[in-house]
């Protein structure tokens, strides 16, 4: 933060304040070390201005910028081991390492009386290597997490590790704590032949029509008619049944069974009239003499899909057949569930097997037997109350480092191995390109808390000409801090209501949260989006950008933006000489960008300013010593590659862009790869931003190595 400009900040009290390590810096409101951002300090200031004018004569295709933050918290602590099971919106579980941006999962929300399970979205997904700790609970639940991770206890959020006094003091888990959630569940087991037979037995015996009719016809040969039909309103159960029958050699036809009515949902069905098929189905659903555990699980899944329900906190399976009820109760018992047979003495002899034990047993049942019909498996709206014994019995330092993962969600939390887990936002690594290096930039984040109010006043001035405003040209507006301060929604609304065109450049998948708001704003003013993607190779990305969303996650963001009807350019920047300028790398990256629906591409070679140069050179010497000489040659005279390299890169990229319809002739363009082109930054309609989004006065483009130092892609 050396050289940080504080003249745009206002002091709300008389005594001067200072930032840690920076004497006599005025303008500070307060410094905050939030528990959810361990290792970071947020310096909250009150800004005097929000709109920053681009210097006259600049090559930038926009007139003003907005920077809600100074510094960048664009990585997290990465809290949980990869096999930690996260509760999905459909009631299933998935390992956190396998989650993707956009997945619907379960978080929590505090109401008037209870905290309840609610549906939320994965906004970002991250990974790195961290020291591991194991948290063990009384019900047998085990969680492997970093010491900085937080879980919800009966006494609030607590870190895995901490101290009771001194510099490491913070709320942390002890054996006096009890976590909140439903607790230990069951592992997902892949279906086998026994499971499939059990599922078909429960489904067909529970809800299908399977019969052989004998017809006697006077004066003609008697004949048999074979019939199998299964009709359901929920297509998941029908699809699974058809697939399992096909695996067993039985082909069925799909057809519409009944249309929707005001009282009933539409129903579909599968059927066959083949004698061989009907005989095979009868064989598949025969009662086994010694049912295996897999058969029991499949049977319960099938009969639950056919005749089960889950409502009013009750999971039940209903039938009138004595053997079906006995088999259902026996399967529950064999799998360790407590059930009871309820008989209301109905004339049709329908009775119910009810599962006891509340939500924790409901979810153990769902995860163990894996029903196909997911609407019966949802927990949304349920209060977080459980009979599970979630007392902390041990917190153990495993004495090793291992891969850790974290996600950002819309609610700020998620369910990990059956307990409520907090999002972790923090940065402990270097945001390695286009930004100043060092701990100050990484860990001392300046937040302009009143920026939205100041911006509204400035946009309301008669002198404001509604020039194009660019966000993300200095620091990323969708870095982690935005998850805490939520400044962007107010900025978007203020710009749209004032009639000001704007664009956003980001690599933060948190931007997905505001896509609906951005789409609404685009109906009032031109709005452009740009997503930065530097590296396509997974190993290279992990080495250089360990705290940044993966390229695939950022391309998912591109898809979400374009699906919402917004233009979205992708900034393939920086291209690293000798590392990512190979034709195979460029082919893969540009092909993926085109498939994501990007409306334009900007290609920019690496430039190394002081600070970034030292960090990158040290990394290069350690990981790719054979390239050190080449980089000395390319960057020996300054921060930018020579014109010869830019021309070579342009020639290599041009045919690839043409092949994917992203060159000038096909309506797209790659900018910034040759010395004479403009920068292709947000606001430039030639890289996918809408017409009318350019500033009213645009200077002539300067060569790329004359771009102003104070504006950089993050």
């Amino acid at each position: 933060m050396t050289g940080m400009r504080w003249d745009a900040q206002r002091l709300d009290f008389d005594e001067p304040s200072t930032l840690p390590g920076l004497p006599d810096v005025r303008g500070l409101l307060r410094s905050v070390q939030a528990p959810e951002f361990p290792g970071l300090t947020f310096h909250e200031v009150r800004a005097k201005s929000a709109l920053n004018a681009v210097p006259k004569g600049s090559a930038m295709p926009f007139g003003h910028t907005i920077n809600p933050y100074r510094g960048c918290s664009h990585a997290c602590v990465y809290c949980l081991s990869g096999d930690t099971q996260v509760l999905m919106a459909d009631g299933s579980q998935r390992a956190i390492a396998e989650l993707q941006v956009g997945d619907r999962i379960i978080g929590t929300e505090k109401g008037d009386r209870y905290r309840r399970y609610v549906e939320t979205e994965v906004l970002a997904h991250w990974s790195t290597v961290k020291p591991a700790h194991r948290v063990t609970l009384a019900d047998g639940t085990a969680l492997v997490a970093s010491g900085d991770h937080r879980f919800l206890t009966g006494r609030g959020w607590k870190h895995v590790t901490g101290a009771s006094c001194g510099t490491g003091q913070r709320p942390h888990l002890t054996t006096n704590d009890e976590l909140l959630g439903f607790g230990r569940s069951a592992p997902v087991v892949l279906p086998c032949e026994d499971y499939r037979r059990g599922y078909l037995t429960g489904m067909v015996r529970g809800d299908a029509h399977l019969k052989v009719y004998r017809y006697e016809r006077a004066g003609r040969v008697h004949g048999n008619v074979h019939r199998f039909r299964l009709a359901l309103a929920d297509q998941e159960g029908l699809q699974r049944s058809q697939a399992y029958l096909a695996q067993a050699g039985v082909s069925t036809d799909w057809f519409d069974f009944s249309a929707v009515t005001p009282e009933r949902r539409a129903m579909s069905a599968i059927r066959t009239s083949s004698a061989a098929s009907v005989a095979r189905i009868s064989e598949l659903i025969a009662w086994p003499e010694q049912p295996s555990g897999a058969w029991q699980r499949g049977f319960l899944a099938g009969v639950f899909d056919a005749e089960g329900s889950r409502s009013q906190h009750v999971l039940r399976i209903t039938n009138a057949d004595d053997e079906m009820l006995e088999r259902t109760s026996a399967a529950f018992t064999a799998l360790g569930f407590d059930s009871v047979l309820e008989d209301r003495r109905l004339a049709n002899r329908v009775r119910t097997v009810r599962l006891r034990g509340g939500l924790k047993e409901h979810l153990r049942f769902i995860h163990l037997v894996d029903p196909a019909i997911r609407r019966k498996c949802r927990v949304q709206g349920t209060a977080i109350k459980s009979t599970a014994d979630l007392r902390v019995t041990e917190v153990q330092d495993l004495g090793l480092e291992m891969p850790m993962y974290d996600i950002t969600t819309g609610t700020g939390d998620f369910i990990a191995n059956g307990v409520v887990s907090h999002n972790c936002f923090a940065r402990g690594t270097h945001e390695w390109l286009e930004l100043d290096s060092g701990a100050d930039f990484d860990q001392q984040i300046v937040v302009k808390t009143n920026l939205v109010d100041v911006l509204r006043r400035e946009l309301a001035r008669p002198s404001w000409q509604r020039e194009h405003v660019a966000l993300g040209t200095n620091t990323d507006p969708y870095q982690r801090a935005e998850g805490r301060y939520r400044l962007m929604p107010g900025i978007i609304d203020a710009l749209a209501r004032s009639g000001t065109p704007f664009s956003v450049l980001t690599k933060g998948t948190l931007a997905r949260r505001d896509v609906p708001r951005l789409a609404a704003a685009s109906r009032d003013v031109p709005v452009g989006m740009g997503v930065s993607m530097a590296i396509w190779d997974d190993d290279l990305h992990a080495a250089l950008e360990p705290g940044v969303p993966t390229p695939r996650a950022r391309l998912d963001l591109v898809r979400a933006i374009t699906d919402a009807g917004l233009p979205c350019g992708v900034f393939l920047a920086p291209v690293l000489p000798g590392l990512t300028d190979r034709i195979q790398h460029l082919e893969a990256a540009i092909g993926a960008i085109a498939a994501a629906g990007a409306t334009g591409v900007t290609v920019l070679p690496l430039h190394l300013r002081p600070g970034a140069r030292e960090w990158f050179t040290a990394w290069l010497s350690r990981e790719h010593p054979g390239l050190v000489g080449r980089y000395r040659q390319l960057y020996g005279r300054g921060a930018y590659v020579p014109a010869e390299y830019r021309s070579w890169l342009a020639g290599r990229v041009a045919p690839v862009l043409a092949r994917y319809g992203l060159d000038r002739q096909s309506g797209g363009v790659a900018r910034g790869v040759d010395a004479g082109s403009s920068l292709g930054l947000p606001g430039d309609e030639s890289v996918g931003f809408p017409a009318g989004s350019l500033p009213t006065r645009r200077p002539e483009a300067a060569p790329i190595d004359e771009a102003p130092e104070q504006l950089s892609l993050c």
Side-chain angles (χ1 to χ4, degrees):
M1 287 174 45
T2 303
M4 182 69 69
R5 295 185 178 182
W6 291 90
D7 56 340
Q9 321 305 335
R10 177 172 61 83
L11 196 63
D12 278 2
F13 35 84
D14 295 329
E15 293 298 320
S17 297
T18 62
L19 291 177
L22 297 179
D24 300 326
V25 177
R26 293 178 174 270
L28 178 65
L29 184 60
R30 66 170 184 167
S31 295
V32 179
Q33 291 182 322
E36 65 266 37
F37 291 82
L40 286 180
T41 300
F42 294 109
H43 303 292
E44 298 179 354
V45 301
R46 297 184 63 83
K48 291 195 301 182
S49 63
L51 291 165
N52 306 304
V54 175
K56 293 182 178 181
S58 168
M60 298 299 168
F62 45 81
H64 290 78
T65 65
I66 296 175
N67 296 297
Y69 307 100
R70 296 281 187 178
C72 190
S73 57
H74 215 327
C76 70
V77 174
Y78 316 99
C79 296
L80 295 166
S81 64
D83 60 354
T84 301
Q85 297 295 305
V86 174
L87 185 63
M88 309 299 290
D90 66 358
S92 64
Q93 294 191 115
R94 189 182 304 168
I96 191 170
E98 299 173 4
L99 290 179
Q100 297 181 353
V101 172
D103 283 340
R104 305 299 296 180
I105 67 171
I106 295 297
T108 75
E109 192 173 80
K110 191 172 182 180
D112 295 337
R113 296 181 59 191
Y114 300 109
R115 182 179 289 270
R116 297 184 181 274
Y117 296 106
V118 297
E119 187 170 331
T120 187
E121 183 179 9
V122 176
L123 300 174
H125 184 259
W126 316 88
S127 68
T128 193
V129 175
K130 297 289 290 184
H133 298 76
R134 179 186 290 115
V135 179
T136 305
L137 308 183
D139 76 335
T141 298
L143 303 114
V144 176
S146 73
D148 294 310
H149 192 58
R150 292 198 298 162
F151 294 104
L152 185 60
T153 75
R155 294 182 288 182
W157 294 102
K158 292 196 174 183
H159 294 275
V160 170
T161 61
S164 299
C165 59
T167 57
Q169 182 178 5
R170 64 184 182 184
H172 61 282
L173 296 179
T174 70
T175 52
N176 293 322
D177 289 312
E178 184 171 0
L179 304 191
L180 298 186
F182 56 83
R184 187 179 183 183
S185 186
V188 176
V189 182
L190 295 176
C192 60
E193 183 178 355
D194 267 9
Y195 177 90
R196 292 191 290 268
R197 280 177 173 261
Y199 184 86
L200 290 172
T201 303
M203 175 63 78
V204 173
R205 288 184 177 273
D207 209 19
H209 175 79
L210 179 68
K211 198 167 184 179
V212 178
Y213 299 92
R214 181 172 178 79
Y215 284 90
E216 296 184 4
R217 296 175 290 187
R220 300 177 64 185
V221 177
H222 303 320
N224 293 336
V225 177
H226 303 265
R227 292 283 187 266
F228 166 75
R229 185 189 68 231
L230 175 63
L232 295 173
D234 295 283
Q235 294 191 358
E236 302 107 310
L238 208 57
Q239 290 165 347
R240 181 182 288 187
S241 299
Q242 187 177 48
Y244 284 1
L245 286 171
Q247 286 182 269
V250 177
S251 177
T252 57
D253 297 321
W254 186 289
F255 66 100
D256 294 332
F257 183 75
S258 62
V260 64
T261 70
E263 293 79 25
R264 298 186 64 179
R265 293 185 292 158
M267 298 182 70
S268 300
I270 57 175
R271 65 187 172 193
T272 181
S273 299
S274 162
S277 293
V278 171
R280 177 61 172 150
I281 294 172
S282 298
E283 176 190 344
L284 291 170
I285 67 170
W287 295 117
E289 291 185 8
Q290 296 292 331
S292 65
W295 187 94
Q296 303 274 27
R297 288 187 288 104
F299 174 72
L300 286 178
V303 74
F304 181 70
D305 280 345
E307 298 188 309
S309 65
R310 182 170 165 268
S311 61
Q312 302 297 317
H313 312 298
V314 177
L315 189 153
R316 57 172 70 86
I317 296 172
T318 303
N319 204 289
D321 182 82
D322 290 340
E323 188 162 21
M324 284 290 287
L325 292 167
E326 290 171 5
R327 295 276 185 171
T328 300
S329 295
F332 272 127
T333 301
L335 296 175
F337 293 102
D338 180 16
S339 66
V340 60
L341 179 64
E342 298 177 336
D343 188 352
R344 298 174 58 193
R345 308 289 180 181
L346 299 176
N348 59 5
R349 302 192 71 249
V350 169
R351 285 150 290 164
T352 295
V353 180
R354 177 170 60 84
L355 176 64
R356 296 193 285 202
L359 181 63
K360 73 179 182 68
E361 288 297 275
H362 290 192
L363 287 174
R364 188 167 76 87
F365 170 85
I366 289 167
H367 299 151
L368 183 63
V369 311
D370 189 27
I373 300 174
R374 304 313 300 183
R375 66 174 177 83
K376 303 179 183 182
C377 306
R378 297 165 65 86
V379 301
Q380 287 85 329
T382 305
I384 303 180
K385 297 187 295 183
S386 175
T387 58
D389 190 351
L390 302 181
R391 290 173 296 137
V392 176
T393 59
E394 184 181 27
V395 178
Q396 179 186 6
D397 185 347
L398 298 182
L400 54 85
E401 292 189 347
M402 60 185 297
M404 294 282 179
Y405 296 81
D406 193 28
I407 56 177
T408 302
T409 73
T411 58
D413 60 7
F414 57 99
I415 311 302
N417 282 7
V419 298
V420 184
S421 169
H422 201 283
N423 284 345
C424 276
F425 304 98
R427 176 185 171 95
T429 58
H430 179 38
E431 183 67 24
W432 62 279
L433 185 70
E434 306 288 338
L435 302 172
D436 293 333
S437 62
D440 283 342
F441 188 89
D442 295 339
Q443 299 173 6
Q444 309 290 331
I445 310 301
V446 179
V447 184
K448 303 174 184 179
T449 56
N450 67 329
L451 186 76
V452 175
D453 291 336
V454 174
L455 177 61
R456 290 187 183 121
R457 290 198 299 269
E458 292 180 345
L459 294 174
R461 292 172 181 167
S463 59
W464 174 241
Q465 299 298 309
R466 295 175 178 80
E467 296 186 53
H468 183 97
V469 173
L471 294 100
T473 60
N474 193 354
T475 55
D476 198 324
Y478 284 107
Q479 59 176 282
R480 291 305 174 283
E482 174 62 15
R484 171 183 173 89
Y485 288 97
R486 298 181 65 86
L487 296 177
M488 282 299 291
I491 293 171
I492 293 167
D493 291 346
L495 291 169
R497 290 171 184 170
S498 70
T500 300
F502 65 95
S503 56
V504 180
L505 173 62
T506 183
K507 64 176 66 172
T509 51
L510 183 59
R512 193 163 184 155
R513 178 198 68 192
D514 289 343
V515 166
R517 188 183 298 270
L518 288 160
S522 70
R523 293 192 285 270
D524 298 321
V525 297
V527 174
M529 294 292 293
V531 175
S532 174
M533 189 183 80
I535 299 168
W536 184 247
D537 179 82
D538 288 338
D539 292 337
L540 190 58
H541 165 79
L544 280 171
E545 298 181 316
V548 181
T550 66
R552 288 168 178 82
R554 281 179 264 176
L555 289 180
D556 287 340
L557 173 61
V558 174
R559 290 187 186 94
I561 292 168
T562 55
D563 285 348
L566 289 167
C568 185
V570 171
F571 293 80
L572 188 57
V575 173
L576 308 177
L579 291 172
T580 64
D581 59 358
R582 298 169 185 168
I583 191 63
Q584 298 92 334
H585 188 103
L586 295 169
E587 282 268 7
I590 294 172
I593 290 169
T599 51
V601 177
T602 295
V603 182
L604 292 169
L606 172 70
H607 74 267
L608 291 175
R609 294 183 302 169
R613 174 189 290 268
E614 289 77 12
W615 182 90
F616 184 81
T617 300
W619 176 87
L620 192 70
S621 300
R622 184 174 65 252
E623 301 294 334
H624 299 277
L627 289 175
V628 172
R630 182 178 181 185
Y631 273 76
R632 285 175 180 165
Q633 181 181 15
L634 286 172
Y635 296 95
R637 296 185 178 181
Y640 302 93
V641 293
E644 292 80 7
Y645 179 86
R646 290 199 299 271
S647 298
W648 174 86
L649 180 61
R652 170 160 283 200
V653 168
V656 182
L657 293 169
R659 187 156 54 253
Y660 289 102
L662 291 169
D663 61 343
R664 295 177 188 272
Q665 288 73 25
S666 301
V669 66
R671 309 302 295 271
V673 295
D674 63 289
S677 69
S678 65
L679 292 176
L681 295 173
D684 188 343
E685 61 183 302
S686 61
V687 293
F689 295 106
S693 65
L694 297 177
T696 55
R697 179 188 53 79
R698 178 177 176 179
E700 291 298 319
I704 190 168
D705 50 359
E706 294 179 12
E709 287 284 326
Q710 67 268 29
L711 293 172
S712 59
L713 296 176
C714 63

